Amino acid sequence: MGRGGWLTLLGFVLLALNLRAAIAAVPPLLPDLQVDLGLDRSAAGLLTALPVLCFGLLSPFAALLGRRVGIEWALLAAMLGIVLGSLTRTLPHPGWLLVGTALVGAGITVGNVLVPSAVKQHFPGRPGLATGLSTASMTTGATVAAAVSAPLAYAMGWGWRGSLLAIGAFAGVAALGWLPQVRRRHTAPAVEPQRSGAGILRSPVTWQVAVFMGTQSMLYYAILTWLPSILRDQGVAPTRAGAALAVFNLLGIGTALVVPTLAVRRPDQRGLALVVCAGWAVGVLGLLALPTMYLLWTVVAGLAQGAALSLTLTLLVVRARTPASARQLSGAVQSIGYLLSATGPVLFGALRDATTGWDLPLAAMAVVTVLMA
C-alpha cells in the first residue's frame, strides 16, 4: 500500500471515529438532561433514537447524494453536518436540542451509507482490513465519547452542553483529514449497470442482512442509551456507570477488527453470526439475572456488539459485486435496519416507565436476540 493508500486509510479512520461519538456522548448525561429539560424516559430515549431514525429515513437519500456529488464530497459534508448539529443542540431553547440531534443524525447517516461504498472503491482487494479498521475506529469514537462526556460536564465544569459541543467538534478535525480525498472525486459513470430499487428489495439477501442489522442495532442503541441508567438505579456511581458504558464500547474494537477477516475467508457467515447472537444473549440475560456482576455482562455484550456491527458492514461489501451495488445495498439495508432499530431506545424506555424496574425491558431485549439469530 503506497503513501496515498495510507493517507486514504487514515481519512477513513478519522471519519469513522465520528460515526457514533456524538450519540454515545449523550447517555452518561441523560439523568441531568432529564432534570434540566423535564423529560421522562421515553422522551429521553428519543435523543438517541432520533439519529437512528435519521439513519433509516435518510439512508436512500445519502446513497443518492454520493452518486450526485461524489462519495468524497458527500463524506466531507457529513463531517461538517455533525459539527453544525453539535453546535445547534447546545443552543438555549430545548427545541434546538432535537434540531441539532437530527442534524448530527443526518451527517452520520451519510457516513454510514457511503463508507462501505468508499471501501469498495478505494480498497477492492483488501475489504476486510479497511472495514475492520473503520468499524474499530467507530467503536473507539463511541468509547472515548462515553468515557469523557461525564468528566467534561462535571469534573471540568463545562456542563452537558459544553461536553456535547467539545465531542462534536472533533468531526471538524476529520473534515480536515478528509480534504485530500476530495480532489479524487468518485461518482458512478453513466453507463454503470445498476439494479432498480425494487430489484434490491426483492432480494432475500437484502432482507436477511437488513433484519440482522436492525436487531443488532436495536440492542446496541438500547444498551448505549440505558446502561448507565440501569446501573445508576442499582446504586452504581455516575462515573462508574459511564465507565461501564465505555468498556461496553471499548471491547467491541477487538472483535470489530477480527470478525471481518474471518467473515471474508468463508463463503457462509451464518455460524459466525450465531456465535455473535449467543454473546448478545448472554450479556442481556446476565444483566437481568445477576445485575451485581454487571462488569462481566458488559464485557460479553461489548464483544458481541463490535462483532455484530463489523459483520453487518462486511456483508454489505462482500455481498455486492461493484461499488454501485454496494451503495445500493448499503442504502436499502441501512434504511430498513435503522427504521427497525430506532424503536429500541424509546420502546425500552417506555417499558421502564410502565414498570417498577428494568426486568421487562431486559427480557424484551432477550427476545430481540432470538429474532436476530
Side-chain angles (χ1 to χ4, degrees):
M1 189 184 299
R3 181 173 177 270
W6 286 112
L7 285 175
T8 303
L9 195 60
L10 175 61
F12 278 124
V13 168
L14 291 173
L15 290 174
L17 283 170
N18 290 278
L19 294 183
R20 292 296 180 272
I23 303 173
V26 174
L29 308 174
L30 267 184
D32 298 283
L33 276 164
Q34 288 180 250
V35 173
D36 194 10
L37 302 177
L39 304 176
D40 61 18
R41 288 185 181 87
S42 57
L46 185 62
L47 295 178
T48 304
L50 185 56
V52 185
L53 186 61
C54 288
F55 299 169
L57 293 175
L58 301 180
S59 287
F61 300 100
L64 179 62
L65 179 66
R67 180 166 177 79
R68 296 292 186 189
V69 306
I71 294 171
E72 289 74 19
W73 274 103
L75 287 172
L76 178 64
M79 293 300 103
L80 297 178
I82 294 172
V83 174
L84 178 61
S86 298
L87 178 62
T88 302
R89 66 181 178 176
T90 63
L91 296 176
H93 193 279
W96 288 114
L97 180 63
L98 294 178
V99 172
T101 299
L103 287 172
V104 167
I108 294 176
T109 300
V110 175
N112 286 341
V113 172
L114 295 183
V115 163
S117 183
V119 166
K120 192 78 173 180
Q121 182 78 63
H122 289 279
F123 299 99
R126 309 184 72 177
L129 171 65
T131 301
L133 283 175
S134 296
T135 309
S137 300
M138 190 185 308
T139 305
T140 300
T143 300
V144 173
V148 306
S149 64
L152 287 177
Y154 309 131
M156 299 292 292
W158 292 1
W160 63 264
R161 287 185 172 88
S163 178
L164 293 181
L165 181 59
I167 291 168
F170 187 73
V173 177
L176 291 175
W178 188 248
L179 276 177
Q181 305 308 318
V182 172
R183 294 176 298 176
R184 303 170 61 188
R185 180 176 180 267
H186 285 101
T187 54
V191 297
E192 184 177 309
Q194 297 201 54
R195 298 176 66 180
S196 67
I200 287 289
L201 294 178
R202 282 196 298 266
S203 170
V205 171
T206 299
W207 290 96
Q208 289 160 2
V209 179
V211 174
F212 183 78
M213 180 172 202
T215 48
Q216 69 88 16
S217 293
M218 181 183 291
L219 290 169
Y220 173 76
Y221 285 107
I223 293 293
L224 182 73
T225 303
W226 296 119
L227 181 62
S229 296
I230 291 171
L231 298 183
R232 289 178 68 167
D233 284 354
Q234 293 286 335
V236 178
T239 53
R240 291 176 66 87
L245 184 63
V247 168
F248 169 73
N249 283 292
L250 176 66
L251 289 173
I253 297 173
T255 49
L257 285 169
V258 171
V259 166
T261 302
L262 295 176
V264 299
R265 289 178 178 175
R266 59 190 68 194
D268 189 327
Q269 291 81 27
R270 286 175 294 184
L272 188 59
L274 288 175
V275 172
V276 171
C277 296
W280 260 119
V282 169
V284 170
L285 291 173
L287 285 172
L288 174 61
L290 291 170
T292 55
M293 298 177 62
Y294 69 88
L295 186 58
L296 173 61
W297 313 129
T298 300
V299 167
V300 175
L303 293 170
Q305 62 86 9
L309 178 59
S310 62
L311 179 58
T312 302
L313 296 178
T314 302
L315 290 173
L316 295 178
V317 176
V318 301
R319 288 292 182 269
R321 293 188 298 272
T322 66
S325 59
R327 184 172 58 247
Q328 286 183 296
L329 181 63
S330 181
V333 164
Q334 296 200 46
S335 180
I336 298 165
Y338 282 127
L339 283 175
L340 176 62
S341 65
T343 63
V346 177
L347 172 62
F348 298 124
L351 288 175
R352 173 61 180 84
D353 281 336
T355 58
T356 57
W358 289 98
D359 287 358
L360 183 59
L362 288 169
M365 291 182 203
V367 172
V368 173
T369 66
V370 177
L371 295 173
M372 183 180 172

